[in-house]
Amino acid sequence: MSQKVIVIGSGIAGLSAALRLRKKGYDVTVFESNAYPGGKLHAFESRGYQFDYGPSLFTMPHLVDELFDLYELDSEQYFHYQQKDTICNYFWDDGTQFTVDADEQQFVAKAATTFTEPEAHIEKYLKNSRTKYDRTASIFLEKSLHKFNTYLSKETLKALFSLRKLDLLGSLNGVNESYFSNPKLVQLFNRYATYNGSNPYHTPGIMSLIPQLEMRFGTFYPTGGMHSITKSLHQLAVEQGISFHFNERVEEVLTDGKKTTGIRTEKDQYEAQTVVCNMDVFSAYQTLLKKEKKPNKILAQERSSSALIFYWGIKKTFNELDLHNIFFSNDYPKEFDFIFNKRSLFDDPTVYLNITSKEEPSQAPDGCENWFVMINAPGNDGQDWESLKAQSKISILKKLSMNLGEAIEPLIETETVLDPVRIETETLSHQGSLYGTSSNSKLAAFLRHPNFSSTVENLYFCGGSAHPGGGIPLCLLSAKIVSDLIPNSK
Ligand code: FAD
């Protein structure tokens, strides 16, 4: 009989860990407190408009394909995606508009003209970004940082020899300012800090590797929206014999004092030789692991930012918009000061606007667009969200109306709002953070929770709050690291 694995949570990392461990011969059961799989990777419909609930930017699709490859299945049978020719449209209040093309040479030439920067500076920046990625990705993203072996590899030694090039000491903003004199280009590259919910004025310069994810490896659109990633992985999991218990919250990880023996849910008790926790680690220690010694230093790490999202059905189409659009704040340092220090919302926020009906018109009624309008927000510490939401709606509408030359409010046919409190309640992510802990400290990578427990044998952790961090690609990698740590079933 196969050995049993229980996975707590069906976020993207939980689904991926379940599939990888099933392939290793385990009898896998996933427990999910919601009625549906996917966690933050979920979707909903409102009056004929389709909306992705959370993630909208899809990078590194091969990490999803790998899960179908494991079973020697053609991922195309389950899941389609297409690479985008343009990455993002940027707008500034002074009327400057800039489209980042997927083609790097085209990007460099256009950016040099629009921002009057020497092409050589932009090329050098991208080359250094590539070096940083190549020197560190295999160590920081693909392996456990908490196993001695990682430090004995050739790649680690290579990275150690190029520490100076990695820009570990200065901030991302400092690095960007050292390359570019135009504040708009600095702001464009500073924005990459938000890809892991961090502050560009604090996160270390090594984060200038993040543009590689989209500029080198490309950005993609999955047919049916981001939620199709969840749907296809869930379908594959069911076909491979993984069992799911929805609407069943896990309340405790059971141990015999040394190793895990199973779980207790709100309904019953279940035995397993191995437990993989996809729940946010902070919340897991508060609820599932109350009796265990807490890794206090790890749990005290600053959380990543959260978000405030307005899902608007808009009864008009806008030719100047694409799938991904950014309308920048006029005072970026102040915006981040509000988010991370004042723990509030700035009245001139950077607005991200995602419109999947640009790729698939069927995502909205004829002649209409499904707008996912997001601003970065502090995590929930009990702020007065009702008043912050009302104020932010006014600021967002002002910015969008001014940049698009048309009053947006009268075009809104349907509205749903997601705030940090809802994110916290619906995904059990502490403070509603999008990406677990922030990368604002230089040691952040080492202070993320390891992919295994140091006190309970056979207890593992995957997902945005564990190593290597949040975002779909990293969550998929966390599941891969967990699976690599677990031997095949006997
Ligand atoms: P989660 O999605 O957090 O899911 C955890 C699951 O565990 C949930 O379903 C929860 O109900 C369940 N659970 C928790 N506790 C228990 C329990 N005790 N018992 C049973 N079940 C439990 N990433 C990108 O790559 N690109 C983006 O563009 C992007 N944008 C984002 C925008 C928003 C608004 C949000 C919210 C996130 C965004 N992210 C983005 C981040 C990305 O969504 C997350 O990093 C990723 O989806 C987290 O996956 P996860 O596996 O950690 O689990």
Side-chain angles (χ1 to χ4, degrees):
M1 220 170 61
S2 314
Q3 289 175 294
K4 287 191 175 153
V5 169
I6 282 174
V7 179
I8 305 170
S10 67
I12 181 78
L15 288 172
S16 166
L19 281 162
R20 288 185 177 278
L21 293 170
R22 177 76 186 128
K23 185 64 197 168
K24 285 193 145 185
Y26 289 94
D27 174 356
V28 182
T29 308
V30 180
F31 288 83
E32 168 57 59
S33 57
N34 289 326
Y36 51 83
K40 298 183 180 83
L41 203 47
H42 181 50
F44 66 96
E45 190 266 348
S46 173
R47 294 177 57 189
Y49 293 88
Q50 305 294 325
F51 293 103
D52 273 313
Y53 173 99
S56 50
L57 175 66
F58 186 33
T59 54
M60 306 196 119
H62 66 275
L63 295 172
V64 177
D65 289 340
E66 269 179 21
L67 297 167
F68 295 95
D69 295 346
L70 271 182
Y71 292 95
E72 294 173 21
L73 288 167
D74 178 6
S75 59
E76 282 275 313
Q77 302 285 329
Y78 294 77
F79 171 58
H80 303 268
Y81 56 84
Q82 266 195 330
Q83 183 158 6
K84 290 273 301 158
D85 293 335
T86 54
I87 291 179
C88 187
N89 282 352
Y90 288 94
F91 297 79
W92 283 267
D93 283 358
D94 66 2
T96 308
Q97 286 188 22
F98 183 70
T99 298
V100 174
D101 296 301
D103 182 283
E104 192 173 304
Q105 279 181 340
Q106 219 166 300
F107 164 72
V108 172
K110 265 173 61 182
T113 312
T114 309
F115 302 111
T116 48
E117 286 286 353
E119 281 194 15
H121 290 192
I122 307 172
E123 276 164 356
K124 191 169 171 206
Y125 182 84
L126 293 177
K127 188 169 165 240
N128 286 353
S129 165
R130 180 183 282 258
T131 306
K132 283 172 195 150
Y133 184 90
D134 288 343
R135 292 282 155 91
T136 57
S138 66
I139 312 161
F140 283 93
L141 303 183
E142 293 166 17
K143 295 191 182 114
S144 168
L145 282 183
H146 308 87
K147 292 280 177 193
F148 189 58
N149 282 352
T150 303
Y151 297 93
L152 295 178
S153 71
K154 220 166 65 194
E155 291 103 322
T156 311
L157 291 174
K158 236 168 127 186
L160 283 175
F161 280 117
S162 45
L163 278 183
R164 210 172 47 84
K165 282 195 182 152
L166 299 182
D167 285 322
L168 293 167
L169 298 178
S171 69
L172 176 63
N173 175 64
V175 169
N176 293 343
E177 283 188 337
S178 74
Y179 281 85
F180 309 120
S181 51
N182 187 317
K184 290 194 173 82
L185 195 54
V186 171
Q187 190 174 25
L188 189 151
F189 279 110
N190 275 354
R191 190 178 81 88
Y192 286 98
T194 64
Y195 283 33
N196 60 21
S198 302
N199 178 346
Y201 305 94
H202 287 166
T203 198
I206 191 170
M207 292 301 160
S208 55
L209 61 73
I210 298 177
Q212 292 296 303
L213 290 185
E214 47 180 46
M215 292 188 166
R216 176 168 164 199
F217 301 116
T219 60
F220 299 81
Y221 176 74
T223 310
M226 298 294 283
H227 186 224
S228 62
I229 304 173
T230 297
K231 285 205 290 199
S232 62
L233 293 182
H234 177 244
Q235 183 190 341
L236 176 64
V238 171
E239 282 173 14
Q240 297 305 326
I242 295 170
S243 312
F244 285 83
H245 290 225
F246 291 111
N247 291 316
E248 189 162 355
R249 182 181 295 220
V250 178
E251 293 183 336
E252 189 180 357
V253 171
L254 303 172
T255 77
D256 63 5
K258 207 167 153 226
K259 59 178 190 310
T260 172
T261 53
I263 57 160
R264 181 176 54 75
T265 73
E266 53 197 347
K267 295 181 183 159
D268 212 338
Q269 201 158 300
Y270 303 84
E271 276 179 20
Q273 288 76 41
T274 300
V275 173
V276 178
C277 179
N278 175 217
M279 182 184 198
D280 182 296
V281 290
F282 188 96
S283 312
Y285 279 98
Q286 303 300 320
T287 55
L288 311 182
L289 295 161
K290 279 193 202 140
K291 295 182 196 145
E292 298 308 318
K293 189 167 172 282
K294 293 189 177 39
N296 289 325
K297 204 164 170 193
I298 290 174
L299 300 184
Q301 290 308 297
E302 182 187 37
R303 303 289 294 181
S304 85
S305 54
S306 185
L308 175 60
I309 296 148
F310 293 90
Y311 308 88
W312 286 332
I314 296 285
K315 53 182 180 196
K316 195 180 165 184
T317 57
F318 287 81
N319 290 337
E320 61 271 59
L321 298 175
D322 193 22
L323 175 65
H324 302 291
N325 311 276
I326 288 285
F327 299 81
F328 267 127
S329 168
N330 292 301
D331 193 340
Y332 220 31
K334 206 162 177 184
E335 181 179 3
F336 284 95
D337 182 45
F338 263 82
I339 296 169
F340 285 99
N341 302 323
K342 298 196 170 70
R343 311 287 295 165
S344 187
L345 292 170
F346 183 36
D347 63 6
D348 177 18
T350 297
V351 179
Y352 167 65
L353 169 55
N354 175 259
I355 312 173
T356 60
S357 60
K358 291 285 181 195
E359 301 297 313
E360 272 183 283
S362 61
Q363 295 258 312
D366 277 353
C368 302
E369 290 178 343
N370 59 344
W371 284 21
F372 168 107
V373 183
M374 170 174 148
I375 61 172
N376 291 310
N380 175 36
D381 315 307
Q383 295 92 327
D384 177 356
W385 288 109
E386 288 316 310
S387 124
L388 287 173
K389 279 189 283 193
Q391 286 161 25
S392 294
K393 184 172 172 183
I394 295 170
S395 316
I396 292 169
L397 283 169
K398 187 172 151 207
K399 191 171 258 321
L400 293 177
S401 303
M402 193 186 79
N403 275 277
L404 297 171
E406 177 157 2
I408 299 301
E409 191 161 24
L411 303 176
I412 302 174
E413 277 200 315
T414 155
E415 174 180 279
T416 305
V417 187
L418 182 68
D419 61 22
V421 178
R422 247 190 87 190
I423 298 174
E424 184 168 30
T425 317
E426 291 172 6
T427 70
L428 304 177
S429 198
H430 179 55
Q431 292 184 337
S433 82
L434 306 191
Y435 302 96
T437 50
S438 80
S439 290
N440 288 339
S441 113
K442 296 187 179 21
L443 292 177
F446 298 95
L447 290 171
R448 247 178 220 109
H449 198 284
N451 300 104
F452 56 90
S453 162
S454 50
T455 52
V456 182
E457 271 176 46
N458 293 345
L459 172 62
Y460 297 87
F461 295 90
C462 63
S465 59
H467 174 71
I472 295 168
L474 269 57
C475 287
L476 288 164
L477 288 168
S478 76
K480 195 170 177 183
I481 297 171
V482 163
S483 150
D484 288 346
L485 293 171
I486 300 175
N488 287 343
S489 169
K490 287 179 201 140

